[in-house]
Amino acid sequence: MKSLPFALGLLLIASPLHADTQAVTGKVVVKPVISSTMTSSGQPIVLPQKDAQVIVSTYEIPAGAVLPKHKHPFPRYGYVQAGTIEVTNVDTGKTETFKTGDFIVEAVDQWHFGTNKGPEPVKLLVIDMVEKGQPNTVLHK
């Protein structure tokens, strides 16, 4: 019976709870990707006014694909994980190219489309901030 407290002590030391209390052994490196108060077309970033919902998605856009003309009624942010995408803002006439490692602060309520002109798929991590239950993509008719 004297070994029971010892065994319980060993289990506690080896448990995942113990791992959470361990000191960080390496140096944490933080590299800012972007800091912005404006969208890619120069609009101030405005958050949803009620019942905000965050939706995070991944997109894979095949080589040669052209996305349909669309707009976003709420803020949308994208991180290019792989590939290169060209985004044309129809309302402003401006075209921008985003490559691996770039962060996109998309225009709000302006028609635009994306084109993958590269030989590999474009992989995006997309973050939407919408009013709960509302879509964040409107296709042009």
Side-chain angles (χ1 to χ4, degrees):
M1 271 315 213
K2 289 184 179 182
S3 62
L4 183 59
F6 178 73
L8 288 173
L10 279 177
L11 279 174
L12 184 59
I13 289 172
S15 77
L17 280 175
H18 181 71
D20 289 344
T21 62
Q22 294 294 313
V24 176
T25 56
K27 183 179 177 186
V28 175
V29 178
V30 177
K31 294 181 182 180
V33 175
I34 189 174
S35 176
S36 181
T37 58
M38 303 287 210
T39 68
S40 59
S41 66
Q43 303 163 299
I45 296 172
V46 179
L47 301 178
Q49 297 302 304
K50 61 180 180 176
D51 299 326
Q53 179 180 10
V54 174
I55 302 168
V56 181
S57 309
T58 58
Y59 284 64
E60 187 166 320
I61 304 166
V66 178
L67 301 176
K69 192 184 311 179
H70 63 279
K71 65 181 179 178
H72 308 289
F74 301 102
R76 171 174 273 191
Y77 312 102
Y79 179 73
V80 183
Q81 296 175 307
T84 301
I85 188 163
E86 184 178 275
V87 178
T88 300
N89 185 317
V90 178
D91 289 352
T92 66
K94 183 178 174 183
T95 298
E96 293 181 275
T97 301
F98 299 96
K99 62 188 182 330
T100 302
D102 285 346
F103 196 85
I104 307 166
V105 181
E106 292 206 38
V108 175
D109 273 332
Q110 293 180 340
W111 296 108
H112 60 279
F113 64 92
T115 306
N116 179 355
K117 292 189 173 182
E120 63 186 48
V122 170
K123 294 182 180 181
L124 300 173
L125 176 69
V126 175
I127 304 163
D128 287 303
M129 290 194 64
V130 301
E131 287 182 2
K132 188 176 181 180
Q134 296 298 309
N136 201 20
T137 300
V138 177
L139 297 178
H140 192 270
K141 295 180 182 182

